[in-house]
Amino acid sequence: MAEKEESSGAGEAKTELQIIKELVDELHNFRDCYFETHGVEEAGRRDGDVKQKMEETLMRLEEKEDILKHNAEFLLQKGRCLNVTPDFSAAAEECLSRAVKLDPCLVEAWNILGDQYWKKGDLVASKNCFTGALQHEKNKVSLRNLSMVLRQLPTPNKDQHGKHVLESVDLAREAVQLDPGDGTSWCILGNAYLSLFFNCGQNPQFSQQALSAYAKSAADKIASSMPDLHFNRANLFYYEEMFGCALEGYSRAAALDPNWEEPLEKEKQLLEYLEKVTELIQNKGKVKTRRLKTMLSNLNTSALGPCSSPQFRAPSGRVGSLEPRPLSSLTHGHNGGVAALGKVVFSLASQGRMAFTFGMVDSEETCLVVMVYNTADNWGVLIGDSVVVPEPNVKRHSITHKDKSYDFKSIRVDSPLLLIVNGKLQNAQSQIPVSVSYH
C-alpha cells in the first residue's frame, strides 16, 4: 500500500513538472517569437512584456515550490524562467547551482548557469559550466556558448587570443553541424568568422564565410528578430563597402531594439560620412580653381617613385613598371598594370569610421575618393600631396536609404603600405589592423 502511494506521488510530481516545463516553454516562445504576434513598432514594449510574463509564470511556479523545492528539474525550470530576460539574476544563479548539485548530469542546467555567469561578467566560471556540460553530452548550446566565451576571455598575448578565436570557430561549426536549422548557431558562427577575419590577417575567405553564416541566420524566424545579428552583419557590410546593406542592417537593429542607441548612432554616422564624401567629390574638396591649377601643374610622372621601376612588385604580385592612367579611364574592379596618380584635395580622419578617406584629383581634374584601411592613428595625407595608387581597385556606389541617395566612385586600398605618397613608399608604422565591434 505504501509503495502504491509512493508510486502515485511520483507520478503526480511528474505531471506537475511537465505542466511547469510547458509554462516555461510558453514563456520562452513568447519572447523568441514576439514579432510573430506583435508589429516591429511595438519593439520598445518587448522587454517589459517579457518581464511581465516572466513574473506571471514565476508566480505559477512558486505555487508548487513547497513540494518541489528539492527537485532538480523544478529548480532547472525556475532558473530557465528567471533567465528569460537579458539581465543577471542572483535568484536564477542560486536555483541552477542547486539543480546541478542535486543532479550533476543536468546539461541544460549547466548551460543556463553558464549563461548567468556570462551575464554576471564571470567568464571563467561561465567557460567551466559549458566545458562541464560537454563532458556529459555534446550539445549545440554548450558548443556555441563556449565559442562566444573563448573569444571574450582575456589572454596574455595576441597569439593566445588567435588560438582562442580559431578554437571558437571550430566549436561554432560543430554546433551548426549538430543542428543546421538553428539560426542562433549560424549567427554565432558568423561572429566567430568575423573575429577570425579581423584577428588573423583579414583573409577575404573568412569575411565571405561570415556573411554566408549571417545570411543563413537571417533566414531563421527566431534569429532574424535578434538585433545583434543585424548590427554585427552591418558592421561587416560597412567594412566591405556594401554601404546600402550596412544602413539597412543598422536601421533594422535599431527597430528591433529601440532602447539600444549604438545602431542608430552608426546609421547616422554612415549617412553623414556618405553625405560629406559626395559633397566633397562634387566640389573637389572646395579647393579654389587657381590653387587647384597650381597644384596640378607640378603633378608629373616623377611622383610615381618606385612604380616607374621595371623591378616594381605590384600588390597583385606582377613585376614591372606601372603605366599612369587618367582616373576617368579606370574600369570597375582591379586595374592591373596601371597606376592612378593625383593630388589630394580633401581628407577625412578615420575616427568613428572604417577607413581614412581622401579625395584625389588628376590632371584632367577628375575627382575620386580613396578609402584606405588599417591605417595607424597618426597616418594621413595632406592637401597638395601627390599620391599614387598602384593597380587601383575601383568601386561604384549607388545607395538609396530613407529617401536619401548617393552615387559616386571610389578606390579601395587595404593598407597604407600599398600607397606611394610624394614619390615614397609608406613605413611599417603607418599600418595597424582595423577592428570592428560586435555583440
Side-chain angles (χ1 to χ4, degrees):
M1 191 75 179
E3 280 180 10
K4 271 189 182 176
E5 281 175 7
E6 197 174 302
S7 169
S8 164
E12 240 175 74
K14 191 176 180 186
T15 311
E16 293 285 9
L17 287 169
Q18 192 57 44
I19 292 165
I20 284 164
K21 183 182 182 303
E22 284 168 9
L23 281 170
V24 180
D25 286 348
E26 192 184 309
L27 167 65
H28 279 261
N29 195 54
F30 175 78
R31 179 196 65 183
D32 295 342
C33 305
Y34 187 83
F35 295 109
E36 286 180 36
T37 51
H38 298 75
V40 175
E41 67 279 0
E42 294 179 84
R45 291 174 45 193
R46 183 186 180 212
D47 286 354
D49 288 352
V50 169
K51 193 173 180 185
Q52 186 182 336
K53 191 161 179 69
M54 179 196 81
E55 284 164 358
E56 289 166 7
T57 307
L58 203 53
M59 282 173 69
R60 298 279 302 276
L61 264 60
E62 284 169 352
E63 288 169 10
K64 308 293 178 186
E65 189 131 24
D66 283 349
I67 54 167
L68 294 169
K69 63 184 174 187
H70 299 302
N71 183 297
E73 181 65 31
F74 173 77
L75 291 165
L76 161 62
Q77 296 306 329
K78 189 176 177 186
R80 260 186 87 209
C81 176
L82 290 161
N83 190 55
V84 78
T85 63
D87 306 315
F88 167 71
S89 160
E93 182 190 349
E94 188 191 346
C95 284
L96 296 158
S97 298
R98 285 171 59 207
V100 294
K101 277 178 189 162
L102 289 166
D103 184 355
C105 298
L106 213 51
V107 167
E108 192 177 5
W110 281 114
N111 281 337
I112 303 168
L113 182 58
D115 201 21
Q116 279 296 317
Y117 283 133
W118 167 276
K119 291 174 182 180
K120 191 181 183 179
D122 190 342
L123 297 179
V124 174
S126 182
K127 175 179 177 281
N128 291 340
C129 287
F130 301 133
T131 307
L134 286 167
Q135 287 169 357
H136 293 293
E137 179 199 342
K138 187 180 279 191
N139 67 94
K140 65 182 181 183
V141 176
S142 300
L143 287 164
R144 71 194 185 200
N145 287 357
L146 187 54
S147 168
M148 287 196 298
V149 171
L150 274 180
R151 292 194 305 275
Q152 300 294 328
L153 277 175
T155 52
N157 53 56
K158 281 181 76 174
D159 285 349
Q160 188 60 42
H161 182 64
K163 283 177 187 169
H164 278 188
V165 170
L166 284 165
E167 195 181 334
S168 84
V169 172
D170 290 339
L171 290 163
R173 265 206 217 107
E174 234 181 308
V176 163
Q177 284 161 3
L178 286 178
D179 183 1
D182 189 314
T184 303
S185 296
W186 279 111
C187 181
I188 288 161
L189 179 59
N191 292 345
Y193 277 128
L194 181 71
S195 187
L196 184 63
F197 176 71
F198 284 109
N199 284 283
C200 300
Q202 295 182 19
N203 182 332
Q205 185 188 343
F206 301 146
S207 162
Q208 290 313 303
Q209 285 170 312
L211 288 175
S212 174
Y214 285 143
K216 287 189 170 77
S217 180
D220 175 72
K221 68 177 184 180
I222 291 175
S224 65
S225 68
M226 300 191 309
D228 288 4
L229 161 66
H230 299 281
F231 180 80
N232 294 340
R233 183 164 65 158
N235 280 339
L236 187 51
F237 280 144
Y238 192 163
Y239 182 81
E240 293 291 346
E241 294 183 4
M242 299 164 73
F243 298 128
C245 295
L247 288 166
E248 281 173 32
Y250 292 137
S251 183
R252 184 68 181 159
L256 290 168
D257 187 354
N259 301 317
W260 187 14
E261 292 174 10
E262 200 174 356
L264 267 184
E265 188 54 41
K266 283 271 197 180
E267 181 188 16
K268 179 170 168 269
Q269 253 180 22
L270 180 47
L271 284 169
E272 285 172 354
Y273 173 70
L274 295 171
E275 193 82 43
K276 193 81 176 161
V277 163
T278 47
E279 182 197 334
L280 287 166
I281 293 169
Q282 281 163 10
N283 58 31
K284 300 185 176 97
K286 301 180 184 172
V287 175
K288 289 189 168 62
T289 309
R290 186 184 291 175
R291 188 184 176 200
L292 184 61
K293 290 204 180 298
T294 306
M295 279 162 58
L296 294 175
S297 67
N298 62 29
L299 180 65
N300 54 54
T301 51
S302 66
L304 287 168
C307 289
S308 58
S309 162
Q311 280 79 47
F312 180 72
R313 183 179 287 275
S316 63
R318 176 190 174 279
V319 176
S321 61
L322 300 180
E323 180 194 342
R325 286 267 182 89
L327 296 176
S328 60
S329 73
L330 298 176
T331 57
H332 184 270
H334 179 254
N335 289 262
V338 306
L341 168 62
K343 286 281 187 179
V344 175
V345 289
F346 69 82
S347 68
L348 295 169
S350 56
Q351 187 183 3
R353 305 182 185 93
M354 297 288 182
F356 181 94
T357 303
F358 66 89
M360 63 190 276
V361 172
D362 69 359
S363 52
E364 293 182 346
E365 294 198 19
T366 302
C367 186
L368 265 190
V369 67
V370 182
M371 298 176 185
V372 190
Y373 293 80
N374 301 298
T375 59
D377 291 341
N378 60 356
W379 184 87
V381 290
L382 303 172
I383 292 171
D385 281 348
S386 298
V387 175
V388 176
V389 184
E391 300 195 319
N393 181 19
V394 178
K395 294 185 93 168
R396 166 80 183 273
H397 305 280
S398 190
I399 305 143
T400 301
H401 182 72
K402 293 184 177 174
D403 302 326
K404 292 187 177 182
S405 293
Y406 309 95
D407 200 309
F408 62 96
K409 281 184 180 177
S410 73
I411 295 174
R412 181 188 180 99
V413 181
D414 285 328
S415 164
L417 300 180
L418 302 175
L419 294 174
I420 287 95
V421 181
N422 298 326
K424 294 176 183 174
L425 289 164
Q426 303 303 283
N427 63 39
Q429 284 71 44
S430 63
Q431 176 182 277
I432 188 167
V434 73
S435 64
V436 167
S437 65
Y438 62 90
H439 290 254

